[in-house]
Amino acid sequence: MKNMSINNTKSIGLVLSGGGVRGMAHIGLIKAMREHGVEADLVAGSSVGALVGALYANGNSVESMLSFFRETPLFQYSFFAINKPGFIDTERYFKIFKGYFPEDTFESLGKPLYVVATDLLKGEERMFNQGELIKPLLASAALTPVFSPVEIDGILYADGGIMNNFPKEYVDEHASYIIGSNVSIAAEVHKNELKNSLQLAGRVTSLMIYASNRAKLAECHISIEPKELDKIGVLDKKGIENAYAIGYEHGSRAIEKMLSA
């Protein structure tokens, strides 16, 4: 973690990782920031980090952010995909998102926002920061193979975390002070938790994502990475309140430490 007083900064960047329901910890961090009068000037996020980042850039209250995730169904029979790859049709969420982002543009947000999604055709990451907002958000959060890819201008996009789960580089040149929140945790597991191919694949994937996050997280001036989040399932909506509380606790400590530096 870099040493630099927030009092000497011109702009603050906030970087939010992917990680499903664990991303409610991002909202806890935002609550701690607001309570201490700390406001980011721009935001970059991937997957759930993009969703939280968009709500934050939109000026939503913490309670409104939590309501968005509490009320948005993860698995609903009418949302099941038909003739599309994935179990859930991601684009069925468009109407829900439109209720929160009625203008559906990056330009309508109160802060610059950088959203990362994965171009499945080229195998490259794609950053969105202007024009249409909702489809890039849906694409960034389209965790495969659960959610179907999202088509934008003839290209299929999926979860931004595949290629870049902690898109810090998009705020580097614009912010002099960077706050990071990583909720993609790869804590130690017991060998009994690696009994089948699915568990093994999941473990290897989480380790790969975590390895790519680690170096960039260390470059942030201040960051949180709550290990307790590892006990919360990525798609377990019952973990929303717990993840939020964990993020608030860690965020409060980090912000207090930052302000006292």
Side-chain angles (χ1 to χ4, degrees), residues 25 27-29 31-32 35 243-253:
I27 303 177
L29 169 63
K31 180 184 180 183
E35 285 183 349
Y244 165 65
I246 290 170
Y248 176 64
E249 178 187 348
H250 282 257
S252 296
R253 289 203 302 263

Side-chain angles (χ1 to χ4, degrees), residues 150-185:
V150 175
E151 186 171 334
I152 302 174
D153 297 330
I155 297 172
L156 293 177
Y157 292 95
D159 188 1
I162 297 170
M163 300 299 292
N164 189 349
N165 199 49
F166 192 74
K168 172 179 170 288
E169 48 272 65
Y170 296 110
V171 303
D172 277 342
E173 61 183 273
H174 306 290
S176 52
Y177 196 99
I178 298 176
I179 300 172
S181 178
N182 176 40
V183 298
S184 290
I185 311 300

Side-chain angles (χ1 to χ4, degrees), residues 46-63:
S46 190
S47 198
V48 71
L51 302 185
V52 174
L55 291 166
Y56 176 62
N58 196 45
N60 289 73
S61 68
V62 163
E63 189 54 40

Side-chain angles (χ1 to χ4, degrees), residues 71-205:
E71 296 166 7
T72 300
L74 281 178
F75 302 103
Q76 184 167 304
Y77 183 73
S78 61
F79 283 16
F80 283 2
I82 300 173
N83 299 324
K84 281 187 175 183
F87 301 114
I88 305 294
D89 185 349
T90 306
E91 296 193 43
R92 296 298 295 273
Y93 290 91
F94 188 93
K95 186 176 180 180
I96 297 173
F97 279 52
K98 196 77 162 62
Y100 283 80
F101 307 104
E103 294 186 47
D104 189 18
T105 65
F106 280 87
E107 290 76 13
S108 67
L109 300 175
K111 305 174 189 294
L113 173 69
Y114 301 86
V115 169
V116 173
T118 298
D119 179 337
L120 292 175
L121 306 185
K122 291 184 178 179
E124 299 174 350
E125 71 178 83
R126 163 79 186 275
M127 185 274 285
F128 296 86
N129 70 336
Q130 57 186 355
E132 185 180 15
L133 172 66
I134 295 176
K135 277 198 171 184
L137 290 179
L138 289 171
S140 184
L143 178 68
T144 54
V146 178
F147 298 98
S148 67
V150 175
E151 186 171 334
I152 302 174
D153 297 330
I155 297 172
L156 293 177
Y157 292 95
D159 188 1
I162 297 170
M163 300 299 292
N164 189 349
N165 199 49
F166 192 74
K168 172 179 170 288
E169 48 272 65
Y170 296 110
V171 303
D172 277 342
E173 61 183 273
H174 306 290
S176 52
Y177 196 99
I178 298 176
I179 300 172
S181 178
N182 176 40
V183 298
S184 290
I185 311 300
E188 185 176 350
V189 300
H190 192 273
K191 64 180 180 181
N192 290 337
E193 298 176 66
L194 299 174
K195 288 183 175 180
N196 58 52
S197 299
L198 190 61
Q199 290 173 327
L200 181 62
R203 175 60 173 168
V204 171
T205 300

